[in-house]
Amino acid sequence: MEGAQEKPPASSSCAPGSGEPEESGGCAGPLETAPKKLCGYLCKFGGKGPMRGWKSRWFFYDERKCHLYYSRTAQDANPLDSIDLSSAVFDCKADGEEGTFEIKTPSRIITLKAATRHVMLYWLQQLQTKRWEFHNSPSAPPAAPDAALAGKQAALRLELEEEAAELEEFLCPVQTPPGHVGVEAALQPAPAMPLALQHISLKHLGTEIQNTMCNIRGNRQAQGPGHGPPEEGSALSREPPRDEQPSPSDPSAPGKDPADSLKPTPKSSLTANFIQKAKRQNNTFPLFAEGLTRNRTAQEKTLALEQQVLILTKELKSQKDLVRILHKALEAAQQEKRATSAYLAAANDRDRLELVRHKVRQIAELSRRVEALEEERASLAQTANLREQQVQELQQHVQLLMDKNQAKQEVICKLSEKVTRDFMHAPGQPLVSPDAADRDFLSQQEKMEHLKDDMEAYRTQNRFLNSEIHQVTKIWRKAAEKEKALLTKCAYLQAKNCQVESKYLAGLRRLQEAVGNEAECSELLTQLIQEALQWEASEASADGAELSPVSEYDEYGFLTVPNYEVEDLQLLAKIQALEVRSHHLLAHEVLEQPLRERWAALRELAPSVELKQLLRVGVSREHRPRVWRWLVHLRVQHLQAPSRYQELLSQSQTCRHPAARQIELDLNRTFPNNKHFTCPTSNFPDKLRRVLLAFSWQNPSIGYCQGLNRLAAIALLVLEEEESAFWCLVAIVETIMPADYYSKTLTASQVDQRVLQDLLSEKLPRLMAHLGQHRVDLSFITFNWFLVVFADSLISSILLQVWDAFLYEGTKVVFRYALAIFKYNEEKILRLQDSLEIYQYLHFFTKTICNSRKLMNIAFSDMNPFPMKQLRQLRTAHRERLEAELRELEQLKAEYLETRASRDPVVPEGCTSEDEGDGEA
């Protein structure tokens, strides 16, 4: 940093110009009085990655802080950054690019480039002078009288004159380059760059956005009504006098830090000069020429506004491109930052060397990609050349066809004229008089006018019909929306009706329990209950509208209200059916319709997290067969053969399987509450028989086990095809469930019951303590859940939702839902204080669950965490204990048989042995 008494290091910066003063504009006698403000456009070298290069920047000097600020354009309100010139040195290379010079500060080196060498020398000389003025200016306003102040200013001027004289010894004063610095440069557009986004600053993104918004607002104000052409001296008229500007204050004076004079928006006089000018004149928006009258026509105003809209559209597009490039640059910077942090955080040189090698590999990979891209670019260029040649050939061909067409048109015109002449001058007829020809011409013109009128009428009709179609379409859309709203309202009212009826029946049931032995009240309640069970909405509806949403069977053929013999259970079944229907109606528009749309949009099925979530929520009816077939194929694709099922059917027909008798017995016991298996004319029992017989030959180690009939029946109800149901049964038994789940010993089934006991103790400790207190064994209830995957327990809508997730995720879903069922009814079970009541409730309580959404949330949210690793460990541990117990039982049995065989048969006294009896006989 140069002192006040030392010469500035101008020798290092004036070497190029000292020997060639003519090229620098020539010497101008005394040092030319510099403009009030040092400002102008320069190119700054910077950026990273693809944005690295020369960027056009507007530079302006702040005398109070000796900082050289720069922004993208002269009209920007906020600077991008600044260069501290107080401790900087300047340099220019003789062998460098023309107009290039450097500003070196203790922290960085800034490379700048001026338009010409003359402009470069001017900037260097002025920067030296400004730096010198800053170091020799008083640090705080003096408190001396005016005479002392005048003396100090005179001394300062004398020092500046001496400095100018010294500078003349090294470099002649450079004349001000016209149009490159000062106000004239601000009024001119920014220099164009090769790329539209080349001069965008990625480092100062926030400031760029603020400046862009400020410019847009200023331009909108500049195009307001009554705005006249800009005046040449408008910016300068707002500039405060130079001697009124506050000089940097003394550091010792509190509250007068020169840094406070520049906040996010620099308040230097230069920026104040051009802020108002930027609001009226910006190179982004076109200005009307000077002298343009205010009373412009509407067409001119429209054209001007259209031009502004076009320019704004281009500006918006460039800003979007900028944001995309900024995102890419930000990602690259973050990757570089992470790599640098990893390198610095490495514990030893070996780790750092490995990071360097990794970077080298990445560089090699990028080099290969660059080479591949270069080859691709060359091939694309070659393809583009071929395309251009083809386009040229096609253009030539088109031109040739157009020429031929033109020639044909001329021939047609000549022939038409000849035909007209022949008709007009037919042989044997007198020549037509000129008056007759005129009349014919007028008649032809009249016909043409009529045709034009007809065409205009058709156009009018077409416009009307289009408007009519548009209006009818809008009416139809409104009617469709109204119909949809009415259907939603109807479903809501039906749901409310179901809820009211359910509450009515529940009230009757509670009242019946509270009445006791009072005969009259009991008889009245019995009559009300019978009327409620037999009530039909068609009888209660006056207008014939279908108010009762409860049908006898659901969409899969199951009874919505099961036929219980006990009157209390009949009432409970009707309440449960009403609640199910109510939940279905309320959730139809909110949940089922969006779910159906999501399944319809899912064209290709592939294992994913999204598919897993959709399967847990449930598959809509129209998509369930397709989804199940895909899930089954995913499980058994290694077992499937094209004609395997037909071969097994042929084998079952030629040879009777030992399990055929048991299969026939179980056919009539399969889903007695489903019309497809109870109706005499239904073909489902025959399908089920063939599926079970085919499976008995497919897996001889199992053959047939009770429960397989219900698994196959569920598959038939959904998939409908025998072969698909057969492979679904194979997928469940041989791939999803453990190997010996359906064996004669049911070992894996018993293991899962013990695992469930452990999970219940972990997830629901209060419930297990209550059941243990009353000595309730849950395996009597839950064993069948696992064996048939809830086929006899849950209502069909919830059952199929469980199966949707079960076919994809496996047996873990069965454990989740088993826990969720107990959690769903935990409070009701805790209120029961008798073991008999608990057993009775547990036998039918799963049928009372009607809120599938709540049950699903409990299974997959409240039961978490539920790791598969824990399930495997519990299964392994309990299997070992069970096998040990079975071995111990077998050993005890063998010992007993051995002991019994070793004893001699002893005949009790008074009894006759068989041998004696035989002898007597």
Side-chain angles (χ1 to χ4, degrees), residues 336-527:
E336 183 177 354
K337 181 179 178 182
R338 285 195 293 269
T340 306
S341 300
Y343 181 80
L344 295 176
N348 48 37
D349 294 341
R350 180 177 299 175
D351 295 340
R352 295 185 178 180
L353 181 59
E354 183 61 29
L355 289 173
V356 171
R357 289 176 179 171
H358 179 65
K359 285 296 180 181
V360 170
R361 289 193 295 270
Q362 287 184 345
I363 292 170
E365 180 64 23
L366 290 175
S367 301
R368 287 193 295 272
R369 290 178 59 185
V370 168
E371 292 176 358
L373 291 174
E374 286 293 335
E375 294 177 358
E376 184 179 357
R377 184 186 64 81
S379 63
L380 290 176
Q382 186 177 1
T383 306
N385 293 332
L386 294 176
R387 296 295 184 193
E388 289 179 359
Q389 293 176 3
Q390 293 177 0
V391 168
Q392 291 177 359
E393 293 176 358
L394 291 174
Q395 288 177 349
Q396 293 175 0
H397 185 63
V398 169
Q399 185 64 34
L400 180 61
L401 292 176
M402 291 178 66
D403 295 340
K404 288 182 179 180
N405 188 26
Q406 183 67 25
K408 290 180 180 180
Q409 291 289 339
E410 293 176 358
V411 172
I412 291 171
C413 291
K414 291 179 181 180
L415 292 175
S416 300
E417 293 176 359
K418 183 179 180 181
V419 170
T420 304
R421 286 196 303 270
D422 291 342
F423 274 112
M424 293 178 65
H425 303 285
Q429 291 184 0
L431 296 174
V432 181
S433 62
D435 294 338
D438 291 340
R439 285 196 299 272
D440 291 340
F441 179 73
L442 291 175
S443 65
Q444 294 292 334
Q445 278 191 337
E446 186 176 357
K447 289 181 180 178
M448 290 181 64
E449 292 296 332
H450 286 312
L451 290 174
K452 289 180 180 179
D453 293 341
D454 292 341
M455 289 177 62
E456 187 63 29
Y458 282 124
R459 288 196 187 99
T460 305
Q461 181 185 9
N462 189 25
R463 295 192 193 100
F464 169 75
L465 291 176
N466 288 334
S467 64
E468 185 69 12
I469 291 171
H470 177 69
Q471 190 175 21
V472 169
T473 304
K474 291 177 64 177
I475 293 173
W476 176 81
R477 287 176 180 173
K478 289 183 179 179
E481 293 175 358
K482 186 176 180 181
E483 181 183 4
K484 185 178 179 181
L486 289 175
L487 289 174
T488 304
K489 185 177 180 180
C490 180
Y492 176 76
L493 293 176
Q494 287 183 345
K496 289 297 182 182
N497 181 40
C498 290
Q499 291 177 354
V500 171
E501 188 178 354
S502 174
K503 291 178 181 178
Y504 170 69
L505 295 176
L508 287 178
R509 186 170 183 270
R510 288 196 296 269
L511 188 59
Q512 183 184 29
E513 294 174 352
V515 166
N517 295 324
E518 296 181 6
E520 185 177 355
C521 292
S522 178
E523 183 179 357
L524 178 61
L525 284 174
T526 303
Q527 182 180 358

Side-chain angles (χ1 to χ4, degrees), residues 561-610:
V561 183
N563 292 325
Y564 294 117
E565 296 180 359
V566 183
E567 184 177 350
D568 290 348
L569 295 182
Q570 291 179 359
L571 186 60
L572 188 63
K574 186 65 178 291
I575 294 172
Q576 173 239 337
L578 290 169
E579 290 180 353
V580 170
R581 187 60 179 170
S582 173
H583 282 287
H584 174 72
L585 290 170
L586 291 176
H588 178 71
E589 293 295 330
V590 180
L591 299 176
E592 292 188 8
Q593 188 65 28
L595 181 63
R596 190 177 292 109
E597 293 174 357
R598 290 180 66 185
W599 277 110
L602 197 65
R603 299 294 181 185
E604 295 295 333
L605 296 176
S608 63
V609 177
E610 180 185 6

Side-chain angles (χ1 to χ4, degrees), residues 191 256 325 388 447 464 488 808 835 916:
K256 295 184 181 284
I325 293 176
E388 289 179 359
K447 289 181 180 178
F464 169 75
T488 304
Y808 185 71
S835 60
E916 293 175 354

